[in-house]
Amino acid sequence: MSKTVSDQLLQRLHDWGVRRTYGYPGDGINGLMGAMDRMGAQMQFVQARHEELAAFMATAHAKFSGEVGVCMATSGPGAIHLLNGLYDAKADHQPVLAIVGQQARSALGGDYQQEVDLLSLFKDVAHEYVQIATVPAQLRHLVDRAMRIARDQRCVTCLILPNDLQEMDAVEQPPREHGTVHSGIGMTRRSLVPDADSLQAAADVLNAGRKVAILAGAGALDATDELLAVADVLGAGIAKALLGKFAVPDDLLHVTGSIGLLGTVPSWELMNGCDTLLMVGSSFPYAEFLPKEGQARGVQIDLDGRRLGLRYPMEVNLVGDSRRTLQALLPLLRRKEDRAWRERIEAGVAEWWRLLEKRAMSEAMPINPQRVFWELSPQLPDNAILTVDSGTSASWYARDIKARRGMMGSLSGGLATMGNAVPYAAAAKMCHPDRPVVALVGDGAMQMLGLNGLVTIARLWPQWADPRLVVMVLHNGDLNMVTWEQRVSEGNRKFAASQDLPAFAFAEFAQLLGLRGLRVDRPEQIAGAWAQALAADRPMLLEFVTDPNVPPLPPHLSVKQMGHYAKALLQGDPEARQVVMATMREVWNGWAGGERRDRPSTPPGA
């Protein structure tokens, strides 16, 4: 049998180093599926339960492997289903290639069944490169450019293949004539370092500062040692954007933890007290959690010059790789002998961890969700990978999980979509089958997409060297983050018709799939449940029945937000009494711990 365009495409991807694709079949990619079968062990096709899951898995593959993630879908509806997962990759700057089918070329423009204008559909999410193949001679350079651009720009690219083209004979070497393109494979990783004058200008700003704050993001995940060395020389504290949670470990008292709505009080105070800000590999968007404009001088490091000076008016903007740039900057920095700023930061962080433990151990009905995360943290193996969904599960992850060296973790940062954690976990295991993985999910996200992802896990797990994958579900019967946003941001009471979730037996469902499942509704069972799950001989779902009325308080509440909160409760919120009691417990813990004694205008615990 002669080599088809589909055979050529898969072989070319293999030459680029791709060994796995995630997808769902359909007649629009039948040619590709036949070629995938012929590839045998050279290329693994991971069948997800839905194309959205496949796109999430490709995004997670990129995050946890550093490679280009590849997903496939059929024409029309299958291609449409990919979009949310691809936008997740776009928002978090991950290299993902989507390959989608299309109706036969002769039918295009004829309002044919399942005919969708895919070029227009994918033009936003894959704006750096989206192309449709029309003749076999294009295939080689289309694959090469899609892979190279995805890697170089850390973006989504898309190839559209009409189904009749997929079965045509391949043209592996286009003729040497006018109008043909002759591309090749391979590229080295960008490792940019700014010029000497720019580095000296940045050092001058940092050396002049008395109270330096560092904000690390996903772009600094490979610069742990360099971040710590810079912080030591400058006597600085380090806050982390959520995607950068594992950039530096949380067992150091000058690491203030997460920043933003899900962040910590020490990070809030770090940003409000600093006179100099060093932002490394982050595009953290919320201006209200950064220093006030004019308060601090700024230096920013980012690989993408388009992201510089976007969130804060920086004095010096450095285009470069975070690790290499910090290495070049270090010899130019002068050690600050006055450590008063650092000591203030460390005292605040130590107090914060004591407060978090008090909050986690507070009474709730039946289980305090904070305690679920607090009890997990010390039991996590050093090589664990965590995946997290959007919602209050992300709040407790941000604060109560202590990052340690060797761990990895991610969530949907820029898009903050629901439904990502379970497919992320499955892809993490495909990339690292010898490492334990924990997915942290709310019941809303689990019902939305996680149950389908669990079916996929039930099929995949026997091939993993280490079978441990724990899916934790916070079962509170409420779309909890939105409920709290309605109260605090809008001043609206809980709207039960939009917020209440149908009852579902998550642990029993896992057992039906041949996995382990355990329902926990007593706080004294939490630690033992985690120990059991992390030692299980197959994936396990832990269903924790938690209290929806424990407030995920931001590090700072404005007067406006407090007014909205009071208004919502006075309007007859159906759970007003429970909410007030839970909030009072949080506030009391703040008072008891002496939190924010220097800010009497802000309610303790806020």
Side-chain angles (χ1 to χ4, degrees):
M1 179 180 177
S2 61
K3 194 171 190 178
T4 68
V5 167
S6 295
D7 293 318
Q8 182 188 9
L9 181 145
L10 295 181
Q11 185 58 53
R12 199 69 173 180
L13 288 176
H14 187 275
D15 293 344
W16 272 96
V18 177
R19 299 294 183 268
R20 182 180 303 117
T21 66
Y22 305 89
Y24 200 82
D27 61 358
I29 53 171
N30 276 345
L32 286 170
M33 292 300 98
M36 188 73 72
D37 186 27
R38 292 190 290 275
M39 285 290 286
Q42 294 185 84
M43 184 76 72
Q44 181 183 20
F45 180 76
V46 179
Q47 184 202 91
R49 306 274 58 74
H50 189 281
E51 291 89 354
E52 185 177 356
L53 286 165
F56 277 135
M57 293 170 83
T59 302
H61 182 101
K63 287 186 172 185
F64 294 124
S65 72
E67 304 167 352
V68 177
V70 180
C71 56
M72 292 184 177
T74 188
S75 56
I80 294 168
H81 284 159
L82 287 175
L83 285 175
N84 193 50
L86 294 179
Y87 272 102
D88 181 40
K90 178 187 177 184
D92 286 352
H93 312 289
Q94 295 302 313
V96 171
L97 167 60
I99 300 171
V100 296
Q102 179 58 291
Q103 295 306 306
R105 292 169 296 168
S106 59
L108 295 179
D111 196 21
Y112 204 74
Q113 184 187 34
Q114 293 191 337
E115 181 187 353
V116 172
D117 183 358
L118 296 178
L119 280 171
S120 296
L121 183 73
F122 285 92
K123 190 58 181 174
D124 181 51
V125 73
H127 62 88
E128 295 284 357
Y129 196 76
V130 51
Q131 292 291 330
I132 182 169
T134 56
V135 295
Q138 286 179 280
L139 195 282
R140 190 174 89 177
H141 71 261
L142 292 184
V143 173
D144 290 348
R145 294 209 72 209
M147 287 294 294
R148 183 171 285 111
I149 291 170
R151 287 184 59 178
D152 182 68
Q153 297 298 311
R154 297 190 60 80
C155 67
V156 176
T157 57
C158 177
L159 295 182
I160 303 165
L161 273 72
N163 56 30
D164 59 324
L165 181 73
Q166 296 171 30
E167 298 285 9
M168 295 180 70
D169 290 342
V171 177
E172 297 194 68
Q173 183 173 323
R176 185 173 175 264
E177 61 185 35
H178 186 71
T180 61
V181 176
H182 299 257
S183 61
I185 66 170
M187 63 181 292
T188 57
R189 181 180 178 184
R190 287 194 297 171
S191 190
L192 299 177
V193 179
D195 62 85
D197 289 344
S198 298
L199 288 168
Q200 187 60 60
D204 290 344
V205 171
L206 296 171
N207 287 331
R210 294 176 51 251
K211 297 182 288 185
V212 181
I214 298 175
L215 174 56
L221 288 172
D222 295 329
T224 301
D225 290 335
E226 290 74 18
L227 283 169
L228 295 178
V230 168
D232 180 62
V233 171
L234 297 177
I238 306 175
K240 300 180 285 186
L242 205 46
L243 286 173
K245 182 175 176 67
F246 290 92
V248 288
D250 284 317
D251 53 5
L252 302 170
L253 286 180
H254 62 279
V255 175
T256 62
S258 298
I259 187 175
L261 289 166
L262 313 184
T264 71
V265 169
S267 290
W268 167 265
E269 294 179 338
L270 179 74
M271 292 297 152
N272 279 278
C274 71
D275 61 20
T276 309
L277 173 63
L278 171 60
M279 187 181 293
V280 185
S282 175
S283 188
F284 174 77
Y286 299 125
E288 66 270 32
F289 292 97
L290 295 175
K292 293 179 182 178
E293 192 167 332
Q295 169 194 320
R297 302 176 72 184
V299 174
Q300 186 175 357
I301 301 169
D302 203 289
L303 195 60
D304 186 349
R306 295 171 296 184
R307 317 299 296 181
L308 292 169
L310 181 62
R311 307 305 186 193
Y312 192 82
M314 297 294 179
E315 189 168 333
V316 181
N317 292 290
L318 303 176
V319 179
D321 172 82
S322 295
R323 184 173 63 85
R324 293 282 306 278
T325 301
L326 290 174
Q327 287 174 347
L329 190 60
L330 260 169
L332 306 176
L333 300 177
R334 295 195 301 268
R335 183 175 180 83
K336 298 189 187 303
E337 299 304 327
D338 183 355
R339 310 306 271 189
W341 171 242
R342 170 69 77 90
E343 290 167 2
R344 176 180 167 186
I345 294 166
E346 291 177 340
V349 171
E351 185 177 283
W352 173 250
W353 284 117
R354 288 191 292 269
L355 173 63
L356 281 185
E357 183 173 16
K358 288 183 179 181
R359 286 181 171 179
M361 296 305 169
S362 290
E363 178 186 347
M365 296 296 291
I367 286 177
N368 185 333
Q370 296 169 103
R371 182 167 177 175
V372 173
F373 290 73
W374 186 263
E375 298 276 15
L376 166 64
S377 191
Q379 295 197 50
L380 283 169
D382 289 336
N383 65 339
I385 301 174
L386 289 88
T387 66
V388 192
D389 228 293
S390 297
T392 51
S393 55
S395 297
W396 314 131
Y397 160 80
R399 297 174 184 174
D400 290 277
I401 296 294
K402 287 189 176 183
R404 302 201 301 274
R405 279 185 180 266
M407 292 181 179
M408 300 173 73
S410 195
L411 73 170
S412 177
L415 189 62
T417 180
M418 292 174 67
N420 66 287
V422 176
Y424 268 32
K429 287 296 292 190
M430 299 305 293
C431 295
H432 302 283
D434 57 339
R435 297 178 66 168
V437 174
V438 179
L440 305 169
V441 194
D443 48 1
M446 196 67 192
Q447 291 187 17
M448 178 182 288
L449 203 61
L451 294 173
N452 288 340
L454 203 64
V455 176
T456 303
I457 288 169
R459 182 179 186 178
L460 295 174
W461 78 266
Q463 64 186 273
W464 299 333
D466 183 335
R468 292 178 295 169
L469 187 158
V470 186
V471 177
M472 179 229 69
V473 180
L474 290 180
H475 189 170
N476 55 29
D478 181 49
L479 291 173
N480 203 227
M481 180 61 83
V482 176
T483 295
W484 286 105
E485 288 170 343
Q486 287 177 346
R487 289 168 175 151
V488 176
S489 299
E490 306 299 329
N492 294 327
R493 65 181 184 177
K494 176 181 174 179
F495 178 35
S498 76
Q499 297 309 110
D500 287 347
L501 290 167
F504 192 87
F506 296 101
E508 292 181 24
F509 179 76
Q511 293 168 4
L512 286 174
L513 296 175
L515 307 176
R516 305 292 182 212
L518 180 64
R519 187 175 189 269
V520 180
D521 58 8
R522 293 164 52 194
E524 63 270 20
Q525 298 172 328
I526 297 172
W530 278 121
Q532 182 180 340
L534 290 167
D537 63 352
R538 65 190 62 197
M540 184 168 182
L541 185 144
L542 289 182
E543 177 185 355
F544 290 102
V545 183
T546 56
D547 189 342
N549 297 310
V550 175
L553 292 174
H556 171 75
L557 272 174
S558 67
V559 173
K560 182 178 180 181
Q561 288 171 321
M562 288 187 286
H564 284 162
Y565 188 35
K567 177 184 174 184
L569 299 182
L570 292 171
Q571 281 182 345
D573 191 288
E575 296 172 357
R577 181 179 180 277
Q578 297 93 316
V579 167
V580 169
M581 294 300 294
T583 304
M584 288 178 64
R585 283 192 288 268
E586 296 288 295
V587 170
W588 172 251
N589 284 327
W591 267 324
E595 180 191 356
R596 302 176 63 82
R597 288 193 183 99
D598 60 327
R599 296 177 182 267
S601 61
T602 302

